[in-house]
């Protein structure tokens, strides 16, 4: 598997990166996981406007899904379009939320997207075996485990500490984990992880490599987040950047 980070800014786009979007490729199939604010730009820069063969939205917070609304225009009105409906795996409310955000009265986006509701379990998307489970976040949110050819990539989505995250990441070769919060601050509960908590989850799960994401550039400190994660996890560790690629 090959992972390309299209966007990794937490909560709102940062000066150096759009919000969450990750392209995972195997056998020529391209799965886009999350499609946050601004990431339609880097989709074009790093892979191509029509690259995705399927989309998975972990949850319906705008920093994880809003550019799936802009992408309706790309699919529906392309000079060589309209393009055939693209599979979208997402929480059950996605069709209405995307249509509402698109903003036309009585509009639908189901000419552009073929929706599949997520629920905890394992299912195939293209060449990937995909397992999703509910995370600890205020809206219906799914962490994702992708398996292909004996290799495992796990993505936390947004979550506070929970057993489901550790189960999902168990033995993953690469663990892409959010680290939104700084340690030592009075953080709201049941929302996000600190670097230390991401490191603790990686250690409990025995992951091979930890990639930290979803830092909030304006409020955080990359150095602090790395340091606190390294105090809890001794494996290879880094903060991801838009445009970075990883072989899994
Ligand atoms: Zn969220």
């Amino acid at each position: 598997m090959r992972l390309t980070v299209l966007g990794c800014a937490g909560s709102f786009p940062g000066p150096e990166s759009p919000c969450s979007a990750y392209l995972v490729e195997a056998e020529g199939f391209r799965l886009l996981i999350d499609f946050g604010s601004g990431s339609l730009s880097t989709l074009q820069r790093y892979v191509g406007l029509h690259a995705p063969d399927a989309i998975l939205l972990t949850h319906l917070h705008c920093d994880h899904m809003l550019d799936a609304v802009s992408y309706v225009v790309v699919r529906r009105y392309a000079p060589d379009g309209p393009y055939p409906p693209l599979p979208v795996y997402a929480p059950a409310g996605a069709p209405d939320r995307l249509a509402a955000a698109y903003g036309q009265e009585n509009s639908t986006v189901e000419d552009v997207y073929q929706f599949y509701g997520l629920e905890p379990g394992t299912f195939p998307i293209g060449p990937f075996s995909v397992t999703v489970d509910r995370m600890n976040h205020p809206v219906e949110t799914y962490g994702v485990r992708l398996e292909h050819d004996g290799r495992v990539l796990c993505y936390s989505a947004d979550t506070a500490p929970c057993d489901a995250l550790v189960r999902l990441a168990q033995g993953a070769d690469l663990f892409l984990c959010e680290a939104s919060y700084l340690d030592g601050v009075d953080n709201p509960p049941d929302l996000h992880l600190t670097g230390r908590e991401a490191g603790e989850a990686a250690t409990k799960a025995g992951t091979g490599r930890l990639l930290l994401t979803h830092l909030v550039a304006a409020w955080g400190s990359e150095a602090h987040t790395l340091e606190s994660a390294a105090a809890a996890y001794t494996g290879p560790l880094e903060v991801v950047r838009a445009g970075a690629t990883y072989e899994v």
Side-chain angles (χ1 to χ4, degrees):
M1 284 180 279
R2 180 183 176 86
L3 165 68
T4 302
V5 177
L6 301 179
C8 53
S11 303
F12 52 89
E16 306 294 339
S17 176
C19 287
S20 296
Y22 308 96
L23 194 89
V24 186
E25 301 173 58
E27 299 179 30
F29 188 94
R30 291 162 153 179
L31 173 63
L32 178 60
I33 303 181
D34 284 342
F35 208 168
S37 329
S39 60
L40 182 49
S41 169
T42 44
L43 177 71
Q44 294 169 81
R45 182 183 303 172
Y46 297 122
V47 282
L49 186 57
H50 292 289
D53 295 302
I55 297 173
L56 189 156
L57 302 176
T58 60
H59 64 302
L60 300 180
H61 279 157
C62 65
D63 60 324
H64 291 256
M65 54 67 87
L66 209 53
D67 276 19
V69 181
S70 309
Y71 201 51
V72 169
V73 175
V74 175
R75 303 286 299 189
R76 186 184 281 159
Y77 298 115
D80 57 345
Y83 280 66
L86 193 63
V88 175
Y89 301 80
D96 290 344
R97 286 287 302 282
L98 268 63
Y102 190 80
Q104 215 156 289
E105 218 163 306
N106 302 319
S107 73
T108 174
V109 296
E110 295 186 62
D111 57 320
V112 168
Y113 295 132
Q114 170 78 50
F115 288 98
Y116 299 91
L118 288 174
E119 51 185 67
T122 300
F123 54 95
I125 301 179
F128 304 106
S129 174
V130 182
T131 301
V132 299
D133 204 355
R134 286 288 296 268
M135 297 291 102
N136 182 8
H137 201 55
V139 299
E140 183 180 352
T141 301
Y142 294 89
V144 184
R145 178 185 177 95
L146 291 184
E147 301 186 39
H148 177 263
D149 201 18
R151 305 290 287 175
V152 179
L153 186 165
C154 179
Y155 167 47
S156 65
D158 283 3
T159 188
C162 62
D163 292 342
L165 176 64
V166 174
R167 278 198 306 274
L168 203 63
Q170 202 65 45
D173 299 287
L174 191 153
F175 182 28
L176 177 64
C177 188
E178 74 123 289
S180 308
Y181 285 158
L182 292 179
D183 271 316
V185 179
D186 193 12
N187 297 308
D190 300 317
L191 200 59
H192 288 298
L193 300 169
T194 64
R196 180 180 53 76
E197 289 166 340
E200 286 170 354
T203 295
K204 283 184 197 164
T207 64
R209 182 176 191 184
L210 174 59
L211 302 181
L212 300 174
T213 190
H214 206 276
L215 280 67
V216 184
W219 300 336
S221 157
E222 194 175 305
H224 179 110
T225 298
L226 267 174
E227 192 182 325
S228 68
Y233 179 73
T234 56
L237 169 70
E238 65 187 274
V239 172
V240 299
R241 306 196 184 287
T245 62
Y246 300 88
E247 297 295 334
V248 185

